[in-house]
Every structure is written in C-alpha cells, then in structure tokens.
Amino acid sequence: MLVEPVGQPGTGFALTVEIAASNPLVGLAPDIDVQLNLKMTRDIGNSMAVSGNLVGDGFPDCELFLRDAAGDSFLVFAYRTPYAEIAGPMGYLPGHNFRPMGRFSKSVRMTSIGLING
C-alpha cells in the first residue's frame, strides 16, 4: 500500500492498494488480483472528491464503498464481470492481470466532523 499527500497539507491523499488472494478451501485455486488507485481531496463546502480506477483479473464482480467512523457507507463504484457465465473463473483468474475494470469520480457530502452526510 502506498499513500501520498495531495495538495495543501490536510486536504487530500492518493492511495494505491494491490490485493492478491486465493480461496484457501480450494486446492490450487488461482489468485484473485485487483489494484485500486484512489484519490480523495477536500471539495467545495463539506464534501470530498473521490476519483480513481480499478484494474485486475476482472473476475468476480466487486464493489467499492467508503465507510466512515460511524459505520455509514457510500457506494463509490460497482464492477460487473462481462461474459462471466461463459468464461467463468478459469477464463479470468490465471496470471497476474491488469485488465481495466473501470474509472470512477464522485463527490461525497460530509458533515463538519467528517462523517458521510446522506
């Protein structure tokens, strides 16, 4: 994981996370690989601009949520595997892939203490 400040101190950050894991209950299961590139910056008023992209194997479907300290969540991005019923996991998972899974750009309203508002 790599985190870097963006803009004026305390106004934002960029984050890169790479995840690779397999199902331990299935012998010789291939890894599910995904890389998240995320940038969050303070926006106008009490909101945060959230943007970035996902790359990886492209299987299975996945969602990206932001969660605040109170446990409230905000859906940022949802990916659906194309042709999953045809290719299945063995068509997508072998190897360490960098298939584009999508880009996102959202504005998230926040309260003055940094909780998701709405």
Side-chain angles (χ1 to χ4, degrees), residues 41-63:
T41 54
R42 190 173 291 161
D43 208 354
I44 300 169
N46 286 332
S47 64
M48 295 289 289
V50 181
S51 61
N53 71 307
L54 284 172
V55 296
D57 288 334
F59 185 93
D61 298 347
C62 68
E63 294 84 25

Side-chain angles (χ1 to χ4, degrees), residues 14-51:
L15 169 76
T16 299
V17 178
E18 189 168 334
I19 301 167
S22 64
N23 185 343
L25 302 176
V26 178
L28 302 175
D31 283 348
I32 297 173
D33 303 303
V34 67
Q35 180 177 327
L36 167 66
N37 298 297
L38 175 79
K39 179 179 170 185
M40 290 186 70
T41 54
R42 190 173 291 161
D43 208 354
I44 300 169
N46 286 332
S47 64
M48 295 289 289
V50 181
S51 61

Side-chain angles (χ1 to χ4, degrees), residues 71-90:
D72 293 321
S73 298
F74 178 84
L75 177 65
V76 176
F77 179 74
Y79 171 77
R80 299 293 173 250
T81 304
Y83 313 110
E85 64 282 350
I86 298 169
M90 295 317 291

